[in-house]
Amino acid sequence: MIDSHCHLDAAAFDADREEVLARALARGVTDLVVPAVGPDAWAPLVALCRGRSGLHPALGIHPQLLPALDPRHDDRHLADLEAALARGGAVAVGECGLDGAAGASGAPLDRQVVVLRGHLALARRHRLPVVLHALRALEPLLALLRSEPPLPAGGVLHSFGGGPEQVPAFAALGLHFSFAGPVTYENARRPLAAARAVPRDRLLVETDAPDQTPRPHRGRCEPAHLVEVVAGVARALGIALEEVDALTAANARALFRLPASGG
């Protein structure tokens, strides 16, 4: 199994990161894509993943982090991101995107758009996929992507929160769709319908750990919980867990250009 989005570098794992990885491997999770959320995280994340089988870094600036960063330094941060990508090792650009959930406490949407356009330019230049965050902002994101040149390496809408009616428009742009804990929630309807609408070769799974803990777990999410997410997608599609595992692992390896097996 491949966890296509896990914040293993988060402080929530500082006390037991090695044990977390051991539990994940014991349950069959061989690879994790770990997206950084801001400039201070890039170098430590690359160091964490270096020489570690199955850990793959992505580098970007999360839109929810922008209020903590001086807007006068946005261009410099994007230049630093390009330098980090040029050093190699990253499998994607991101996590980046648009966030409409924070309201007045978040960064203005026009600033988010400018920073996201910078990420998209870097993804095109380095021919890397982009890891997209879109919380209460799918329609603005769709409009932005349609106004941009195509992404040669594609990308993924992480923890896709849209409905089945929104899948075709994003799929036409070459994007993948990743599903997390909500596919296991009691009375879940929308994420299950969305998962059924996704072309099979664009389907991914993730934990978004330490957030979005799948049922029946409570508290901190961790990559070992990917098994429950895979099972939730399997129930939605009416196929075996093993088939979802094989399908989503193959899709993740193709999108992120991962080695053939956890190395």
Side-chain angles (χ1 to χ4, degrees), residues 4-60:
S4 70
H5 195 106
C6 169
H7 295 286
L8 185 70
D9 59 333
F13 296 116
D14 284 351
D16 62 346
R17 191 168 284 110
E18 295 303 321
E19 291 86 349
V20 165
L21 283 169
R23 285 193 291 270
L25 187 59
R27 297 197 76 192
V29 181
T30 61
D31 293 78
L32 290 75
V33 175
V34 186
V37 297
D40 290 344
W42 300 336
L45 175 58
V46 170
L48 172 66
C49 296
R50 186 179 294 118
R52 301 290 295 266
S53 176
L55 296 187
H56 312 284
L59 306 179

Side-chain angles (χ1 to χ4, degrees), residues 34-112:
V34 186
V37 297
D40 290 344
W42 300 336
L45 175 58
V46 170
L48 172 66
C49 296
R50 186 179 294 118
R52 301 290 295 266
S53 176
L55 296 187
H56 312 284
L59 306 179
I61 303 171
H62 196 296
Q64 291 179 353
L65 190 71
L66 288 177
L69 300 175
D70 190 327
R72 296 173 297 179
H73 298 158
D74 286 348
D75 287 344
R76 177 170 62 80
H77 288 144
L78 288 168
D80 290 345
L81 176 57
E82 173 147 42
L85 294 170
R87 286 191 284 271
V91 299
V93 175
E95 181 176 357
C96 56
L98 301 178
D99 191 286
S105 65
L109 186 60
D110 59 350
R111 182 185 176 200
Q112 294 187 45

Side-chain angles (χ1 to χ4, degrees), residues 199-223:
R200 294 291 173 92
D201 63 347
R202 303 286 186 86
L203 187 66
L204 300 176
V205 288
E206 64 173 270
T207 59
D208 196 25
D211 300 318
Q212 301 200 74
T213 308
R215 304 296 184 261
H217 303 285
R218 294 291 189 272
R220 183 188 70 175
C221 183
E222 58 180 72

Side-chain angles (χ1 to χ4, degrees), residues 234-253:
R235 286 190 294 271
L237 301 185
I239 60 178
L241 183 153
E242 293 77 12
E243 187 175 348
V244 173
D245 174 12
L247 174 69
T248 56
N251 292 343
R253 292 197 190 282

Side-chain angles (χ1 to χ4, degrees), residues 75-159:
D75 287 344
R76 177 170 62 80
H77 288 144
L78 288 168
D80 290 345
L81 176 57
E82 173 147 42
L85 294 170
R87 286 191 284 271
V91 299
V93 175
E95 181 176 357
C96 56
L98 301 178
D99 191 286
S105 65
L109 186 60
D110 59 350
R111 182 185 176 200
Q112 294 187 45
V113 166
V114 169
V115 172
L116 176 55
R117 287 190 189 278
H119 282 78
L120 297 176
L122 292 175
R124 289 191 295 269
R125 192 171 305 142
H126 292 271
R127 303 190 75 82
L128 289 170
V130 62
V131 177
L132 292 165
H133 168 103
L135 186 57
R136 300 183 191 171
L138 279 171
E139 291 307 316
L141 178 62
L142 179 60
L144 186 156
L145 292 173
R146 282 174 164 167
S147 73
E148 286 274 313
L151 293 163
V156 56
L157 289 164
H158 118 80
S159 188

